[in-house]
Amino acid sequence: MDNHKQPNVNLKEVFFVNIIRENPVFVMLLSLCPILGVSSNFVNAISIGAMTGLVILLTNIVVSLLSRIIPNEVRIPVLITIIATSVTLMEMLVHAYIPAMHFALGIFLPLIVVNCVVFGRAEAFAIRNKLIPSIVDALGVSAGILLALGLMGFIRELLGTGAIDLFGLYFRLFPEHFAIPLFIMPAGAFIVLGMIIGIIFSVKMMKQEKQDGLLKNKSVTKA
């Protein structure tokens, strides 16, 4: 693999493509472990999303800065070491300064080490690009993960309890006896994730059919 930096990167495209069109969770179907395990409430979902995003950012920065001196033969072990170091540092800081979050996230915090999104961005983008594009890529991917986790956590907590806890601000939106506890259980994660993915792909298919129809009409008109 050629580790030389690639010039002329469209930063706007790099940022926004990872939020919607190639969302790591809803489109690429990556990072499903925290999505299914920690998204039973909004606060936990946002917290693990933020931690994952910080690890991606730190990893991309380090990998981009060191890419020219990382031998191709040991590229993968070096990337794994950088990711593991970033996660360990993040976990130690959270444990020291936000112990409640560390307790709530539990094993899912150190499991960021094996999150394929972190390794994927380092291997596919950061090691091939300059520092600024690598930072923008990390921010875009992090925003995509936060969007996915936040949406999952919000929907599951709302439908499962009838209320939302927004970092200490508690809002009850409908009576508890109308809530469906299934949505805060593991099975609820699969249901909500499937519904969101189904809606996204249905919208994509409708847009594609509309574009195909326009192209067909143009070809008929020209004929």
Side-chain angles (χ1 to χ4, degrees), residues 70-82:
I70 297 176
N72 189 57
E73 295 76 12
V74 293
R75 182 182 75 257
I76 292 178
V78 170
L79 294 183
I80 293 174
T81 301
I82 293 172

Side-chain angles (χ1 to χ4, degrees), residues 15-175:
F15 180 80
F16 285 104
V17 73
N18 292 310
I19 298 178
I20 299 175
R21 198 171 73 204
E22 295 182 9
N23 186 279
V25 178
F26 295 145
V27 178
M28 308 300 290
L29 300 182
L30 303 175
S31 194
L32 295 184
C33 183
I35 276 286
L36 300 175
V38 195
S39 64
S40 58
N41 67 73
F42 180 77
V43 172
N44 285 354
I46 288 293
S47 298
I48 194 66
M51 295 300 104
T52 304
L54 289 173
V55 169
I56 294 173
L57 178 60
L58 182 57
T59 300
N60 270 22
I61 290 173
V62 175
V63 170
S64 180
L65 291 174
L66 299 181
S67 61
R68 288 190 178 275
I69 64 173
I70 297 176
N72 189 57
E73 295 76 12
V74 293
R75 182 182 75 257
I76 292 178
V78 170
L79 294 183
I80 293 174
T81 301
I82 293 172
I83 294 169
T85 303
S86 301
V87 173
T88 301
L89 177 62
M90 196 64 59
E91 184 183 11
M92 291 173 66
L93 290 173
V94 172
H95 196 185
Y97 296 102
I98 321 176
M101 181 186 295
H102 186 272
F103 177 78
L105 299 180
I107 190 61
F108 290 98
L109 195 53
L111 277 178
I112 295 175
V113 171
V114 294
N115 191 315
C116 50
V117 176
V118 183
F119 180 83
R121 298 324 298 168
E123 166 70 8
F125 194 93
I127 203 167
R128 293 178 170 86
N129 289 274
K130 297 178 181 179
L131 178 61
I132 298 303
S134 297
I135 292 175
V136 173
D137 177 73
L139 293 175
V141 173
S142 301
I145 291 176
L146 269 175
L147 173 65
L149 279 161
L151 183 60
M152 284 283 295
F154 185 90
I155 293 174
R156 290 185 65 193
E157 184 175 4
L158 176 61
L159 296 180
T161 66
I164 291 291
D165 179 6
L166 301 178
F167 296 95
L169 299 176
Y170 189 80
F171 300 95
R172 174 156 295 282
L173 302 181
F174 56 84

Side-chain angles (χ1 to χ4, degrees), residues 173-211:
L173 302 181
F174 56 84
E176 188 174 358
H177 60 269
F178 285 121
I180 307 173
L182 171 67
F183 284 104
I184 58 175
M185 298 178 182
F190 286 96
I191 295 172
V192 175
L193 180 62
M195 291 171 60
I196 295 175
I197 292 174
I199 292 171
I200 290 173
F201 277 87
S202 295
V203 172
K204 281 190 171 185
M205 290 178 63
M206 290 173 61
K207 287 184 176 180
Q208 186 62 46
E209 289 175 357
K210 185 176 180 181
Q211 291 177 356

Side-chain angles (χ1 to χ4, degrees), residues 209-223:
E209 289 175 357
K210 185 176 180 181
Q211 291 177 356
D212 293 343
L214 291 173
L215 291 174
K216 186 176 180 180
N217 291 335
K218 285 182 179 180
S219 62
V220 171
T221 304
K222 288 182 180 179

